[in-house]
Amino acid sequence: MAPTTITTTTTTNAAQKRLWFTAATENDSVVQGPPKKRMVKGMSLLEWGILCKDNGIKYSGLRADRPRPHPMRSWPESGLRPKLINAVDPFGDRDPLPIQMVAVPLGVQQRDLIALCAPVPGKITAYLLPMLQHICHCSRLDREACSHPLAVIVVPNRQLAEKVARVMERLSRYMVDVKVSLILDEGDALNKLGRGSHVIVGTVDQLGKCIERSTLVMRQSCGYLIMDEADYMVEMGFDKELEAMLKAMPRRRTIHVYTETMPTSLEKLTRRHLHDPINVAVDREVSKALEQRASEKKVQMLKKRAAAKLLFH
């Protein structure tokens, strides 16, 4: 039998390029299909590269001695619990957005992440979902005691903190008894921290004061830290507060840093405290285009469902 040859052809639709691989032999040929339909183990490095390029994803600084990270292609590949997947993809017809493709699986795997991206669609959901999964995996004793937070999200300003809390409230409906505290001022710190919370969402200035006064204790059980818009917090002069939070974390922890730029002070901070982080950049324009396409697809599906409902009534 003649040796198997691999040929590649590139097909282009209105938005993306997709590779189709054909294995040809003397007797038959098998078309294995586009990357999204293929098993993960069947994907080649070339296909992964094209998938990343199509979605504006770029990994950097990867170590040769560690497994190469790959973005998830669909929500079932995320490793999330079915209830959490149902929170974002109830009908099984939504594709993850680029930042979700990279951040969610890394969070589930408890890998540290530095995401270099401007505010992109789906970012908040991208870091909240694996954080909620982490809370699910915490011991029952820690969840029930709730004396110290299991996860902390630190942001630069009140507006973003409130937005994160709203998204968190929506997603946590699919969980059992997840207590979230929003810390925006000293009154919040005094009233809410003493009552216990699983998740703390707060501004960097207030959380920094809580760490300094020991009203927020992270070393006991806080295994997950999110720093959103970290460059902005550093530029505002809160690098010492961020350092204090990182030092207050236990040894076994997961840290995700989201930043649009990488100031020198932030780079030094991540080098000191993050363990073998994955560095990834996400293109904002590509993310916006994909979100627009997803919105149009959703509208079309809603119209079809409405038409079908009228047809059967």
Side-chain angles (χ1 to χ4, degrees), residues 99-115:
I99 188 63
Q100 297 166 343
M101 293 171 67
V102 295
V104 172
L106 290 173
V108 171
Q109 297 163 21
Q110 298 183 329
R111 297 286 303 273
D112 285 357
L113 168 69
I114 300 174

PDB file of all heavy atoms in Angstrom, residues 99-115:
ATOM      1  N   ILE A  99     -11.688  35.896  24.445  1.00  0.00           N
ATOM      2  CA  ILE A  99     -11.104  35.931  25.787  1.00  0.00           C
ATOM      3  C   ILE A  99     -11.614  34.764  26.625  1.00  0.00           C
ATOM      4  O   ILE A  99     -10.892  34.221  27.473  1.00  0.00           O
ATOM      5  CB  ILE A  99     -11.404  37.288  26.481  1.00  0.00           C
ATOM      6  CG1 ILE A  99     -10.631  37.410  27.795  1.00  0.00           C
ATOM      7  CG2 ILE A  99     -12.892  37.469  26.707  1.00  0.00           C
ATOM      8  CD1 ILE A  99      -9.139  37.408  27.648  1.00  0.00           C
ATOM      9  N   GLN A 100     -12.843  34.341  26.380  1.00  0.00           N
ATOM     10  CA  GLN A 100     -13.384  33.183  27.090  1.00  0.00           C
ATOM     11  C   GLN A 100     -12.712  31.896  26.627  1.00  0.00           C
ATOM     12  O   GLN A 100     -12.503  30.977  27.424  1.00  0.00           O
ATOM     13  CB  GLN A 100     -14.895  33.105  26.863  1.00  0.00           C
ATOM     14  CG  GLN A 100     -15.647  34.297  27.433  1.00  0.00           C
ATOM     15  CD  GLN A 100     -17.075  34.400  26.936  1.00  0.00           C
ATOM     16  OE1 GLN A 100     -17.443  33.777  25.937  1.00  0.00           O
ATOM     17  NE2 GLN A 100     -17.893  35.187  27.622  1.00  0.00           N
ATOM     18  N   MET A 101     -12.361  31.840  25.356  1.00  0.00           N
ATOM     19  CA  MET A 101     -11.711  30.650  24.807  1.00  0.00           C
ATOM     20  C   MET A 101     -10.386  30.355  25.499  1.00  0.00           C
ATOM     21  O   MET A 101     -10.005  29.189  25.665  1.00  0.00           O
ATOM     22  CB  MET A 101     -11.481  30.831  23.300  1.00  0.00           C
ATOM     23  CG  MET A 101     -12.755  30.888  22.479  1.00  0.00           C
ATOM     24  SD  MET A 101     -12.459  31.365  20.755  1.00  0.00           S
ATOM     25  CE  MET A 101     -11.553  29.946  20.148  1.00  0.00           C
ATOM     26  N   VAL A 102      -9.677  31.409  25.914  1.00  0.00           N
ATOM     27  CA  VAL A 102      -8.368  31.197  26.538  1.00  0.00           C
ATOM     28  C   VAL A 102      -8.439  31.201  28.062  1.00  0.00           C
ATOM     29  O   VAL A 102      -7.777  30.400  28.732  1.00  0.00           O
ATOM     30  CB  VAL A 102      -7.342  32.247  26.058  1.00  0.00           C
ATOM     31  CG1 VAL A 102      -7.063  32.087  24.588  1.00  0.00           C
ATOM     32  CG2 VAL A 102      -7.803  33.661  26.351  1.00  0.00           C
ATOM     33  N   ALA A 103      -9.243  32.099  28.643  1.00  0.00           N
ATOM     34  CA  ALA A 103      -9.222  32.283  30.098  1.00  0.00           C
ATOM     35  C   ALA A 103      -9.965  31.186  30.850  1.00  0.00           C
ATOM     36  O   ALA A 103      -9.523  30.754  31.919  1.00  0.00           O
ATOM     37  CB  ALA A 103      -9.816  33.647  30.458  1.00  0.00           C
ATOM     38  N   VAL A 104     -11.085  30.730  30.317  1.00  0.00           N
ATOM     39  CA  VAL A 104     -11.896  29.751  31.047  1.00  0.00           C
ATOM     40  C   VAL A 104     -11.157  28.429  31.247  1.00  0.00           C
ATOM     41  O   VAL A 104     -11.049  27.942  32.383  1.00  0.00           O
ATOM     42  CB  VAL A 104     -13.255  29.541  30.349  1.00  0.00           C
ATOM     43  CG1 VAL A 104     -14.012  28.382  30.994  1.00  0.00           C
ATOM     44  CG2 VAL A 104     -14.093  30.816  30.427  1.00  0.00           C
ATOM     45  N   PRO A 105     -10.619  27.807  30.193  1.00  0.00           N
ATOM     46  CA  PRO A 105      -9.921  26.536  30.439  1.00  0.00           C
ATOM     47  C   PRO A 105      -8.693  26.678  31.329  1.00  0.00           C
ATOM     48  O   PRO A 105      -8.409  25.793  32.138  1.00  0.00           O
ATOM     49  CB  PRO A 105      -9.543  26.050  29.033  1.00  0.00           C
ATOM     50  CG  PRO A 105      -9.641  27.239  28.155  1.00  0.00           C
ATOM     51  CD  PRO A 105     -10.681  28.119  28.755  1.00  0.00           C
ATOM     52  N   LEU A 106      -7.970  27.794  31.222  1.00  0.00           N
ATOM     53  CA  LEU A 106      -6.807  27.994  32.088  1.00  0.00           C
ATOM     54  C   LEU A 106      -7.236  28.159  33.543  1.00  0.00           C
ATOM     55  O   LEU A 106      -6.569  27.674  34.460  1.00  0.00           O
ATOM     56  CB  LEU A 106      -6.009  29.212  31.627  1.00  0.00           C
ATOM     57  CG  LEU A 106      -5.258  29.050  30.305  1.00  0.00           C
ATOM     58  CD1 LEU A 106      -4.641  30.372  29.873  1.00  0.00           C
ATOM     59  CD2 LEU A 106      -4.182  27.976  30.418  1.00  0.00           C
ATOM     60  N   GLY A 107      -8.356  28.852  33.761  1.00  0.00           N
ATOM     61  CA  GLY A 107      -8.868  28.989  35.121  1.00  0.00           C
ATOM     62  C   GLY A 107      -9.315  27.664  35.694  1.00  0.00           C
ATOM     63  O   GLY A 107      -9.061  27.359  36.864  1.00  0.00           O
ATOM     64  N   VAL A 108      -9.976  26.858  34.880  1.00  0.00           N
ATOM     65  CA  VAL A 108     -10.419  25.537  35.326  1.00  0.00           C
ATOM     66  C   VAL A 108      -9.212  24.664  35.670  1.00  0.00           C
ATOM     67  O   VAL A 108      -9.233  23.890  36.632  1.00  0.00           O
ATOM     68  CB  VAL A 108     -11.288  24.872  34.237  1.00  0.00           C
ATOM     69  CG1 VAL A 108     -11.568  23.416  34.579  1.00  0.00           C
ATOM     70  CG2 VAL A 108     -12.600  25.635  34.073  1.00  0.00           C
ATOM     71  N   GLN A 109      -8.135  24.808  34.886  1.00  0.00           N
ATOM     72  CA  GLN A 109      -6.908  24.041  35.135  1.00  0.00           C
ATOM     73  C   GLN A 109      -6.062  24.644  36.252  1.00  0.00           C
ATOM     74  O   GLN A 109      -5.001  24.119  36.576  1.00  0.00           O
ATOM     75  CB  GLN A 109      -6.080  23.975  33.852  1.00  0.00           C
ATOM     76  CG  GLN A 109      -6.754  23.246  32.712  1.00  0.00           C
ATOM     77  CD  GLN A 109      -6.104  23.545  31.367  1.00  0.00           C
ATOM     78  OE1 GLN A 109      -4.944  23.966  31.295  1.00  0.00           O
ATOM     79  NE2 GLN A 109      -6.846  23.336  30.296  1.00  0.00           N
ATOM     80  N   GLN A 110      -6.507  25.764  36.806  1.00  0.00           N
ATOM     81  CA  GLN A 110      -5.804  26.470  37.883  1.00  0.00           C
ATOM     82  C   GLN A 110      -4.408  26.918  37.452  1.00  0.00           C
ATOM     83  O   GLN A 110      -3.451  26.848  38.220  1.00  0.00           O
ATOM     84  CB  GLN A 110      -5.744  25.597  39.144  1.00  0.00           C
ATOM     85  CG  GLN A 110      -7.120  25.276  39.705  1.00  0.00           C
ATOM     86  CD  GLN A 110      -7.073  24.485  40.995  1.00  0.00           C
ATOM     87  OE1 GLN A 110      -6.164  23.697  41.225  1.00  0.00           O
ATOM     88  NE2 GLN A 110      -8.060  24.689  41.848  1.00  0.00           N
ATOM     89  N   ARG A 111      -4.326  27.411  36.212  1.00  0.00           N
ATOM     90  CA  ARG A 111      -3.086  27.990  35.703  1.00  0.00           C
ATOM     91  C   ARG A 111      -3.148  29.504  35.849  1.00  0.00           C
ATOM     92  O   ARG A 111      -4.185  30.125  35.609  1.00  0.00           O
ATOM     93  CB  ARG A 111      -2.896  27.636  34.215  1.00  0.00           C
ATOM     94  CG  ARG A 111      -2.748  26.159  33.898  1.00  0.00           C
ATOM     95  CD  ARG A 111      -1.403  25.619  34.294  1.00  0.00           C
ATOM     96  NE  ARG A 111      -0.283  26.316  33.685  1.00  0.00           N
ATOM     97  CZ  ARG A 111       0.222  25.996  32.483  1.00  0.00           C
ATOM     98  NH1 ARG A 111      -0.304  25.022  31.768  1.00  0.00           N
ATOM     99  NH2 ARG A 111       1.269  26.651  32.012  1.00  0.00           N
ATOM    100  N   ASP A 112      -2.037  30.117  36.223  1.00  0.00           N
ATOM    101  CA  ASP A 112      -1.973  31.575  36.291  1.00  0.00           C
ATOM    102  C   ASP A 112      -1.996  32.155  34.879  1.00  0.00           C
ATOM    103  O   ASP A 112      -1.471  31.556  33.934  1.00  0.00           O
ATOM    104  CB  ASP A 112      -0.706  32.021  37.016  1.00  0.00           C
ATOM    105  CG  ASP A 112      -0.803  31.814  38.524  1.00  0.00           C
ATOM    106  OD1 ASP A 112      -1.873  31.380  38.991  1.00  0.00           O
ATOM    107  OD2 ASP A 112       0.184  32.083  39.227  1.00  0.00           O
ATOM    108  N   LEU A 113      -2.585  33.344  34.761  1.00  0.00           N
ATOM    109  CA  LEU A 113      -2.792  33.950  33.440  1.00  0.00           C
ATOM    110  C   LEU A 113      -2.495  35.441  33.487  1.00  0.00           C
ATOM    111  O   LEU A 113      -2.878  36.133  34.434  1.00  0.00           O
ATOM    112  CB  LEU A 113      -4.243  33.732  32.993  1.00  0.00           C
ATOM    113  CG  LEU A 113      -4.727  34.530  31.767  1.00  0.00           C
ATOM    114  CD1 LEU A 113      -4.046  34.028  30.499  1.00  0.00           C
ATOM    115  CD2 LEU A 113      -6.243  34.453  31.637  1.00  0.00           C
ATOM    116  N   ILE A 114      -1.820  35.924  32.445  1.00  0.00           N
ATOM    117  CA  ILE A 114      -1.694  37.360  32.189  1.00  0.00           C
ATOM    118  C   ILE A 114      -2.342  37.611  30.840  1.00  0.00           C
ATOM    119  O   ILE A 114      -1.822  37.189  29.802  1.00  0.00           O
ATOM    120  CB  ILE A 114      -0.226  37.822  32.175  1.00  0.00           C
ATOM    121  CG1 ILE A 114       0.448  37.532  33.518  1.00  0.00           C
ATOM    122  CG2 ILE A 114      -0.144  39.314  31.849  1.00  0.00           C
ATOM    123  CD1 ILE A 114       1.939  37.828  33.524  1.00  0.00           C
ATOM    124  N   ALA A 115      -3.505  38.255  30.855  1.00  0.00           N
ATOM    125  CA  ALA A 115      -4.253  38.520  29.626  1.00  0.00           C
ATOM    126  C   ALA A 115      -4.038  39.969  29.225  1.00  0.00           C
ATOM    127  O   ALA A 115      -4.465  40.887  29.926  1.00  0.00           O
ATOM    128  CB  ALA A 115      -5.732  38.232  29.828  1.00  0.00           C
TER     129      ALA A 115
END
